Amino acid sequence: MTVGIPIRRLWPEPSTEPLDDTTLTSLYARAEQPRLRVNFVSSLDGAVTVDGYSAGLSGEPDKRVFGLLRMVCDALVVAAGTLRHEGYRAVRLSEARRAWRRDNGLAAYPTLVVVSGSLDLDPAQAAFADAPVRPIVLTHADADPPPGLTDVADLLRCGTDQVDLAAGLAELHARGLTQLLCEGGPHLLGALTAADLVDELCLTVAPLLAGAGPGRITAGDTSPPRHLPLRHVLAAADGVLLLRHARG
């Protein structure tokens, strides 16, 4: 892969040479045990969006790691609101990344898992209609799907009148989807944090002040603080920091 903006490791074991994709992948390696990894980008002052979208905070280094995290996961977990607002397309990978997955005994593509309590979803959205792997919608027993949704996705019902995230993740693990990557949004991260389900946070910090207005990477009801130790700090030549925090 040709990289225009080098990424180097600041901590631990600082590196003077730019990290290639093989080394970067090893820094975000799959775990032996089931794991929920969360990936977000924010501004220096904690904003999760610029002009309403996360794309205003993302650049080449963030997109590079973003792609590698998708490559190594079994399933990509996203809230329905984020899927709609960010205009998610089908989860597809380059041939090189599909080859890496095949070489490591994985399916060619990760499975998209959409978390939705209301099932306010459009079956015609490319994330469903063009998906290379049939998506899963994690919902609850009382939710009614719109016409056509069950034609393009499997419904996984956990909980009676609201989504039981712990039960849902356990069911995904039982299906062999043990390495989960969550891309938000903030309310889903807040709910996962409250349920103590977050094993790892990969946070890209963009070198800008967004100012007042945008929300944080987490939202929802208050919950007890959760300690998540720092595992590495990477820095890109454009000033972006890439942090990885994870349980032991």
Side-chain angles (χ1 to χ4, degrees), residues 48-120:
V48 72
T49 60
V50 171
D51 295 329
Y53 294 91
S54 61
L57 294 166
S58 182
E60 180 190 293
D62 177 59
K63 289 183 172 67
R64 184 179 170 197
V65 171
F66 176 93
L68 291 176
L69 295 183
R70 285 189 167 192
M71 181 182 76
V72 304
C73 75
D74 294 320
L76 175 66
V77 182
V78 63
T82 297
L83 185 92
R84 292 189 300 266
H85 182 71
E86 297 284 349
Y88 267 57
R89 295 173 291 179
V91 179
R92 295 187 176 274
L93 304 176
S94 67
E95 172 54 37
R97 288 177 175 169
R98 296 199 304 273
W100 183 94
R101 290 177 65 85
R102 289 192 296 267
D103 290 344
N104 285 273
L106 306 177
Y109 298 95
T111 300
L112 175 66
V113 178
V114 181
V115 181
S116 177
S118 67
L119 292 185
D120 179 15

Side-chain angles (χ1 to χ4, degrees), residues 16 52 71 77 98 130 161 205 215 241 247:
T16 57
M71 181 182 76
V77 182
R98 296 199 304 273
D130 192 37
D161 56 358
V205 182
L241 288 178
R247 302 192 208 235

Side-chain angles (χ1 to χ4, degrees), residues 138 158 163-173 192 195 197:
L138 178 56
C158 295
V163 179
D164 185 331
L165 291 171
L169 266 56
E171 180 60 31
L172 294 175
H173 296 163
L192 291 167
L197 296 172

